[in-house]
Amino acid sequence: PAVFPLSCAVQSYSWGKLGLDSEVAKLVASSDPLAQIHPEQPYAELWMGTHPRGDAVILDNRIPQQTLGQWIAANPACLGEKVRVAFQGQLPFLFKVLSVNTALSIQAHPNKELAAKLHAQFPKHYPDANHKPEMAIALTPFEGLCGFRPVEEIVSFLQAVPELRTLIGEVAAEQLERSGSDDPRGVSAALRVCFTRLMKSEKKFFVDQLNTLVKRVSQEAAEGKDTSASNGDLLLRLHSQYPGDIGCFTIYFLNLVRLEPGEAMFLGANEPHAYLHGDCVECMACSDNTVRAGLTPKFIDVLTLCEMLNYTPAPSSSKIFPATQSQLDPSVYLYDPPVPDFAVMRIEIPASIKLYLVSAVDSASILLVIQGTAVGTSTAAASEMTLRRGSVLFISANESISLHLSSPDGMLLFRACCLL
């Protein structure tokens, strides 16, 4: 068989949504009737792929290998010839579902050059030499911080939030205020100085400033005043999750991006970001390289982060990554980011269609069912497969699947692949 169902690993990181509030838990419960969902446990991520810390288990007793990673190693042709050669016989992406309840750390992922360097110097913190571009596609309304705000927004916060100005210092603040839009390199340089001054400020100093700010904004909010000039709602929310954390100040520098279901954001190398709340499917290159600097109890590497970031200001609307509807199949919307490692298809099958062909692509792919039920048949599958919400299938390169839909409302599927 070259098409088969998978049982995928769940990661229970502390920032995940609890119990059946979590989309991850709902998908697991729906796909596996025997799964026990614990209401107090976070269900943060579902990993669909071959990562050694969460290699998917094959649900087909005719296949001798237990996991997808083992099976691909024994059958590398399943990747597709181009993908096999380009990525040394490895599946080049990890597909995930995330259910975010509290903020993830302020982080960025290095490009290949920096990844190789960090890995050589600090292998404990940077476990591999690969880059880690990622794309998140919202399943529910989804919020994240992403990329530097337009300078005018940052300047208006520097003027409205004295505690922020104190941390950065008058010289750096004025330099940013004076930097003109006609000199983008000057703007980036001024932004780098301001952000680095913030992130490197002494702990006691910034905690005092943060406490003063939070106290002031809380009082204003209690009096029913508008706190938007201090980004008050988000400040109080992050401070309640990570009290005394420098990450609370990054909201004055980074865009707040809100995605509706089906909207995506792509995070290239060196783009500062932090997911805040909501459920999404995520696809990424296979790497664990994350440089963190706040909203986290984990290892923090402020110097590396401040050095590597892309200091190009842009409005939050520019962070929404568009999907293109397929010319060949109007049910397919393709998210094709500017990296070779992965692409994602959103497949919306309308209720009027009762037989749908998941077409062959020249790459191994992983198919996730979000809504609807069907029976899947394929010449490459050992037997027919029941597909329901939460089902995950591995599809070898150049294999197709016929879906015989049984749900009255059509289906919603996501498919990750590599389009070289």
Side-chain angles (χ1 to χ4, degrees):
V3 171
F4 43 81
L6 298 174
S7 169
C8 297
V10 171
Q11 309 289 357
S12 31
Y13 307 134
S14 57
W15 49 259
K17 293 187 179 181
L18 302 181
L20 286 170
D21 281 344
S22 162
E23 185 70 19
V24 169
K26 289 177 192 162
L27 291 169
V28 168
S30 156
S31 66
D32 175 8
L34 299 175
Q36 289 268 305
I37 303 296
H38 304 285
E40 297 304 308
Q41 187 182 320
Y43 290 81
E45 300 194 3
L46 181 69
W47 284 16
M48 300 169 280
T50 56
H51 192 288
R53 285 195 317 220
D55 197 358
V57 173
I58 296 171
L59 298 178
D60 186 328
N61 49 23
R62 283 156 293 224
I63 294 177
Q65 291 82 5
Q66 282 194 301
T67 71
L68 182 58
Q70 293 165 351
W71 190 84
I72 291 175
N75 303 274
C78 75
L79 294 168
E81 186 54 21
K82 286 186 196 154
V83 175
R84 182 186 68 76
V85 171
F87 295 98
Q88 290 87 47
Q90 308 277 329
L91 187 70
F93 57 82
L94 178 59
F95 198 27
K96 296 182 175 186
V97 178
L98 271 62
S99 289
V100 181
N101 186 40
T102 56
L104 280 69
S105 53
I106 307 281
Q107 53 183 246
H109 305 297
N111 59 21
K112 286 201 163 159
E113 199 182 1
L114 177 60
K117 198 174 109 181
L118 290 171
H119 175 58
Q121 289 178 318
F122 312 107
K124 183 164 153 278
H125 297 301
Y126 301 106
D128 56 81
N130 200 13
H131 67 163
K132 191 186 171 182
E134 5 181 76
M135 184 166 57
I137 307 168
L139 291 172
T140 59
F142 192 80
E143 288 183 311
L145 299 173
C146 177
F148 284 96
R149 294 172 176 270
V151 172
E152 12 343 327
E153 295 181 18
I154 300 172
V155 164
S156 78
F157 285 132
L158 279 172
Q159 292 167 355
V161 183
E163 298 82 0
L164 177 66
R165 200 174 181 99
T166 303
L167 279 181
I168 281 160
E170 201 51 45
V171 179
E174 283 177 15
Q175 189 183 333
L176 188 66
E177 286 166 341
R178 284 199 306 269
S179 65
S181 50
D182 51 343
D183 176 17
R185 286 177 68 173
V187 168
S188 294
L191 197 48
R192 174 192 290 266
V193 170
C194 285
F195 191 72
T196 305
R197 298 252 340 191
L198 170 70
M199 297 309 286
K200 286 172 73 178
S201 50
E202 280 300 324
K203 173 116 182 151
K204 176 159 179 5
F205 186 38
F206 80 67
V207 169
D208 283 349
Q209 294 300 321
L210 182 57
N211 289 341
T212 308
L213 171 60
V214 166
K215 192 173 162 186
R216 178 168 65 77
V217 170
S218 305
Q219 275 172 339
E220 288 172 8
E223 292 162 13
K225 290 183 182 157
D226 175 13
T227 61
S228 58
S230 312
N231 208 349
D233 293 350
L234 185 55
L235 173 75
L236 296 181
R237 203 170 101 198
L238 288 184
H239 186 262
S240 71
Q241 295 172 13
Y242 297 95
D245 191 298
I246 191 67
C248 296
F249 278 109
T250 61
I251 63 174
Y252 300 117
F253 283 92
L254 304 181
N255 284 301
L256 176 60
V257 180
R258 289 197 167 94
L259 302 179
E260 290 304 315
E263 289 186 323
M265 57 178 151
F266 170 69
L267 302 159
N270 303 333
E271 185 83 291
H273 61 279
Y275 296 154
L276 298 178
H277 193 264
D279 306 271
C280 69
V281 290
E282 184 182 62
C283 199
M284 57 174 58
C286 277
S287 164
D288 281 325
N289 287 323
T290 299
V291 185
R292 295 185 178 83
L295 301 182
T296 179
K298 292 186 185 171
F299 173 70
I300 275 184
D301 191 347
V302 171
L303 269 171
T304 301
L305 188 86
C306 291
E307 281 296 305
M308 70 189 270
L309 291 183
N310 166 19
Y311 288 98
T312 309
S316 65
S317 57
S318 69
K319 301 298 169 188
I320 295 181
F321 187 84
T324 49
Q325 191 171 17
S326 163
Q327 299 288 296
L328 302 171
D329 178 351
S331 296
V332 173
Y333 296 82
L334 176 67
Y335 305 83
D336 190 9
V339 292
D341 311 62
F342 61 85
V344 178
M345 296 171 196
R346 179 177 96 239
I347 307 174
E348 293 185 9
I349 310 170
S352 56
I353 293 183
K354 290 300 166 221
L355 179 60
Y356 179 82
L357 185 73
V358 177
S359 55
V361 291
D362 190 20
S363 153
S365 63
I366 291 179
L367 185 73
L368 165 69
V369 182
I370 295 291
Q371 278 162 5
T373 49
V375 171
T377 55
S378 170
T379 51
S383 56
E384 52 181 41
M385 300 162 289
T386 310
L387 295 185
R388 55 168 89 86
R389 183 162 152 69
S391 296
V392 180
L393 286 189
F394 178 79
I395 308 172
S396 293
N398 306 304
E399 300 293 354
S400 59
I401 302 179
S402 297
L403 297 183
H404 307 260
L405 276 73
S406 48
S407 45
D409 311 325
M411 289 188 88
L412 174 60
L413 317 164
F414 285 90
R415 182 185 191 183
C417 60
C418 177
L419 301 176
L420 289 179

